[in-house]
Amino acid sequence: MSLGSGPLMNAHLHQEEALQCERLAAITSSIGEGVCAISRTGRIIFVNPAAVEMLGWEHLDELHNLANIPDGEPGPMAPSFILAPAMRSMSTARSVVSDDSRFQRRDGSQFDVAFTVSPIAGEDEPSGAVLIFRDIRERKEIELQLTRDAFHDALTGLPSRRLLLDHVDHALRRAAHSGELHAVLFADVDRFTVINDSLGHHAGDALLVAAAQRIQASLRPGDMVARVGGDEFAVLLEGVDDATDALDAARRILDGFREPFSLPDGHDVVTSVSIGVALSAPGESRDDVLHDADVAMHRAKATPGGGHVELFDVEAMGTRSAERLDLEAALRHALVRGELEVFYQPFVDLNDGSIVGAEALVRWHHPTRGLLAPAEFIALAEETGLILPLGHLVLERACQQARQWREELGVELTIGVNLSARQFQQAGLGEEVQEVLELSGVHPSQLCLEITESLAMDDVARTSEVLASLKALGVKIAIDDFGTGHSALGYLTSFPVDVVKIDRSFVDGVDCDPVKSAIVSAVINLSAAIGSTTVVEGIETLAQLTHVRALGCTTAQGYYFARPGPAHVLEAMIDASEEQGVDSRYREGSLASGRAR
Ligand code: C2E
Ligand code: MG
Ligand code: MG
């Protein structure tokens, strides 16, 4: 307001007070800001209607018509919240500004204001001051709401990821001096997608709210639990003694999930959480600790059945950040320097031992570390987005290879290409695949895209949509690592799946473990019922081969036949089988002796 921000020029306020106040009244009668003029002695000589209303001064007769107070007769003393800044303004002859103060109404209640007080210039010194103020309750409420939104999750009321990050930062800074140990737990609700999809979002929301309460109830009062993703919660345990402390907390959370959840529409559901635990170490950043907890959680999640806890272990689960950065830079170079090679591992027809296809499996010829398997770099590629160019390269090479084999060897092999989560979620995947098919000249039916079961189950509706668009191109779809993603067998029927690849964990011991044998048998029968082929992964022994064949499996892959190897090794195997006739070789078991490296 111009009125309050610059001194009012009036050399003889005493004489001209009436005129002054009239002018003030004329200017300020209709504005929303409160305006209040104070004399040099701290008396109120003017208030506008807005100020009267805001301050609740309606019934203070002495405050009305202050301009008519006879000369020399003092008005009421200004209350201290006005007097103090007015006096400061007069004594310094400068404006005093506040963005956030509290004024008091006549009835004693308080309200938030922003104000400006400016001195009224007198002959030698200020002859008074004019204060202009505004009710900022609304602004404060918006600000409060914004902070609440930023720091709290609307559904569960729990702290948000941001607030958790702040607390982890703070805890780590303190630990740098005190040497304290902190733990971060990542908990992911098992089967959440299935429950959410089958019972609806309303039930899913209710489950998340109840899960949040149970997690909170399992913790000590000072521990912090935040919702950090759709069905992901993170817990900060400050000042733990050792890993046992943190693991105990994780087990208490698991115990909290033993009872079923009663959802509002009458459904009782049982679920669990998979928990990753990481401890802070000196010099670690919050990103390091959170990353470790996340990695451990994914480990826990990968153990079939749900409800597992994993403690992060540097040896087993990952290298430290600096090394990761080096690896990332090296992988970027690898892509342009041609250090990546596609290996092939055959799919074998168990009826006659012929090679009917091959899975494309990427390898990295690292300049100093030698030949690296995907386990050493695929996760990093996924995290950094490098999986997109990498995946494209594998797809392109594999398709070119399949066409070359068709032309040169006269065999039409099915080529399995793995799709990562990022690739699968990327818009335009269909177009990319179509372009590669066209450029390479491979028959679409020769390409079989493999997606893991857990990826397929992540968002069932979206999976169906993407798979349908890929199917429309004429390619085949395989569900990879089947049996590790906690899904019900029946779920398979919702996807247009051509091949179900049973995870190798079920094959290991299938010949002596009746439970594994029963699972493999059930999957083979179910796949057959929905018109899919089962491929058993990871056949290493003749005993396993004989067993799965007896269960009705028709196609298999595994070290028993061949390890993944360069294209020329597979070519040699195909050549050999052409010459010798697959039937006889297979019966004699000599395919095993022709293993690729
Ligand atoms: P996957 O798709 O399930 O591939 C099968 C893995 O099992 C391969 O490991 C293969 O070498 C291994 N394997 C096959 N037979 C046997 C056996 O008899 N015994 C044992 N112990 N293992 C066997 P590999 O090549 O190390 O690949 C590991 C994973 O990395 C693959 O699992 C796949 O998920 C991923 N991967 C490989 N290449 C690519 C790629 O180009 N793109 C993407 N996105 N992922 C890839
Ligand atoms: Mg695969
Ligand atoms: Mg697999």
Side-chain angles (χ1 to χ4, degrees):
M1 281 300 298
S2 59
L3 243 184
S5 56
L8 291 176
M9 298 304 294
N10 189 340
H12 310 284
L13 184 71
H14 245 55
Q15 293 86 6
E16 292 187 13
E17 204 166 68
L19 180 63
Q20 185 70 41
C21 289
E22 249 168 59
R23 272 173 31 210
L24 268 174
I27 303 166
T28 65
S29 65
S30 61
I31 66 169
E33 273 89 359
V35 180
C36 203
I38 297 107
S39 72
R40 196 192 342 231
T41 53
R43 308 265 163 193
I44 293 176
I45 51 173
F46 173 79
V47 278
N48 77 337
V52 167
E53 198 191 321
M54 281 190 263
L55 292 164
W57 284 350
E58 289 88 347
H59 303 297
L60 292 184
D61 292 341
E62 70 271 30
L63 284 173
H64 287 301
N65 302 316
L66 287 169
N68 296 332
I69 293 173
D71 196 11
E73 212 168 289
M77 261 327 259
S80 59
F81 55 85
I82 292 180
L83 189 60
M87 286 306 186
R88 196 147 25 101
S89 168
M90 285 186 266
S91 66
T92 58
R94 311 178 86 116
S95 295
V96 173
V97 178
S98 165
D99 226 16
D100 194 355
S101 285
R102 310 208 90 190
F103 279 9
Q104 199 172 33
R105 296 191 190 87
R106 182 68 190 154
D107 64 9
S109 61
Q110 298 201 329
F111 63 109
D112 296 308
V113 296
F115 70 77
T116 307
V117 198
S118 300
I120 301 170
E123 259 169 43
D124 303 317
E125 52 185 15
S127 63
V130 171
L131 174 134
I132 300 188
F133 64 97
R134 195 159 27 93
D135 187 335
I136 54 164
R137 188 180 36 206
E138 241 171 70
R139 188 193 85 195
K140 292 278 272 192
E141 268 167 18
I142 293 171
E143 278 172 3
L144 203 68
Q145 190 58 42
L146 285 176
T147 358
R148 232 184 265 134
D149 288 353
F151 291 111
H152 286 88
D153 166 48
L155 179 67
T156 59
L158 288 182
S160 66
R161 182 182 191 92
R162 220 172 110 186
L163 193 54
L164 178 93
L165 292 181
D166 281 357
H167 280 239
V168 174
D169 260 345
H170 193 75
L172 290 179
R173 270 201 302 276
R174 252 193 10 237
H177 305 294
S178 66
E180 265 178 304
L181 194 62
H182 306 304
V184 171
L185 274 55
F186 256 45
D188 186 285
V189 180
D190 297 319
R191 300 195 321 121
F192 180 74
T193 315
V194 181
I195 295 166
N196 198 43
D197 286 347
S198 50
L199 301 182
H201 290 296
H202 187 57
D205 283 356
L207 176 60
L208 288 174
V209 172
Q213 284 163 354
R214 290 206 192 168
I215 294 175
Q216 204 153 29
S218 344
L219 300 170
R220 303 171 304 184
D223 300 335
M224 177 182 206
V225 51
R227 182 171 175 222
V228 295
D231 60 349
E232 255 178 48
F233 298 91
V235 178
L236 170 64
L237 306 174
E238 294 190 43
V240 292
D241 288 338
D242 50 25
T244 318
D245 251 12
L247 289 170
D248 284 348
R251 295 209 181 88
R252 283 200 308 276
I253 296 177
L254 287 190
D255 285 343
F257 278 72
R258 294 218 185 287
E259 292 293 310
F261 289 86
S262 300
L263 301 182
D265 39 6
H267 289 287
D268 275 358
V269 298
V270 182
T271 185
S272 51
V273 275
S274 297
I275 305 179
V277 179
L279 294 176
S280 63
E284 268 190 338
S285 73
R286 83 175 177 209
D287 291 342
D288 291 333
V289 187
L290 293 178
H291 168 266
D292 294 351
D294 191 39
V295 169
M297 189 271 283
H298 280 100
R299 246 324 147 91
K301 201 97 189 152
T303 313
H308 293 279
V309 177
E310 283 276 351
L311 177 65
F312 180 80
D313 168 5
V314 185
E315 300 289 309
M317 299 185 193
T319 46
R320 289 257 58 87
S321 318
E323 287 174 49
R324 290 173 64 80
L325 288 177
D326 288 348
L327 195 67
E328 183 188 336
L331 185 56
R332 280 183 202 283
H333 285 132
L335 278 159
V336 285
R337 288 189 195 142
E339 291 167 8
L340 298 178
E341 183 179 358
V342 179
F343 272 21
Y344 298 88
Q345 185 183 31
F347 301 140
V348 176
D349 182 333
L350 296 190
N351 292 318
D352 60 8
S354 63
I355 293 170
V356 290
E359 177 167 5
L361 294 159
V362 68
R363 295 291 183 269
W364 177 7
H365 295 278
H366 191 282
T368 54
R369 293 170 57 194
L371 187 68
L372 299 187
E376 309 215 36
F377 59 90
I378 286 284
L380 178 76
E382 179 79 33
E383 260 173 55
T384 53
L386 288 172
I387 194 74
L388 295 178
L390 185 153
H392 186 81
L393 180 140
V394 173
L395 180 68
E396 211 169 44
R397 296 253 188 97
C399 287
Q400 285 163 356
Q401 190 63 69
R403 201 217 36 202
Q404 193 182 328
W405 281 331
R406 192 182 73 217
E407 284 176 356
E408 291 174 7
L409 308 177
V411 286
E412 189 150 323
L413 299 183
T414 300
I415 296 293
V417 174
N418 294 287
L419 284 187
S420 79
R422 280 239 194 164
Q423 281 176 286
F424 190 69
Q425 281 145 9
Q426 178 203 12
L429 173 67
E431 288 83 358
E432 182 184 340
V433 172
Q434 185 171 22
E435 192 183 298
V436 172
L437 288 172
E438 280 166 11
L439 289 176
S440 64
V442 75
H443 293 161
S445 61
Q446 276 186 270
L447 178 63
C448 182
L449 296 172
E450 300 190 1
I451 63 165
T452 62
E453 183 199 11
S454 39
L455 172 57
M457 295 306 297
D458 210 39
D459 182 346
V460 173
R462 195 177 140 69
T463 300
S464 307
E465 202 179 296
V466 177
L467 292 186
S469 72
L470 292 173
K471 282 292 289 180
L473 302 173
V475 302
K476 292 194 183 114
I477 304 291
I479 297 290
D480 204 355
D481 303 345
F482 188 80
T484 57
H486 319 295
S487 69
L489 289 175
Y491 248 89
L492 278 186
T493 51
S494 34
F495 305 133
V497 171
D498 302 277
V499 177
V500 177
K501 299 186 75 176
I502 303 184
D503 190 65
R504 64 156 204 274
S505 54
F506 292 99
V507 177
D508 180 21
V510 70
D511 47 329
C512 35
D513 181 339
V515 176
K516 284 186 178 172
S517 175
I519 295 173
V520 172
S521 166
V523 176
I524 291 172
N525 291 330
L526 178 98
S527 318
I530 60 168
S532 318
T533 311
T534 313
V535 172
V536 176
E537 297 183 311
I539 298 284
E540 292 183 355
T541 66
L542 184 60
Q544 291 166 348
L545 167 65
T546 315
H547 193 90
V548 299
R549 201 145 73 117
L551 294 177
C553 176
T554 54
T555 314
Q557 175 184 5
Y559 292 175
Y560 178 74
F561 308 108
R563 287 181 180 251
H568 68 85
V569 175
L570 192 78
E571 266 161 45
M573 288 178 69
I574 296 168
D575 274 346
S577 66
E578 300 273 295
E579 280 164 23
Q580 298 172 15
V582 284
D583 261 320
S584 60
R585 276 185 337 100
Y586 180 62
R587 275 197 299 275
E588 288 153 18
S590 62
L591 239 181
S593 62
R595 288 174 197 176
R597 275 174 296 129

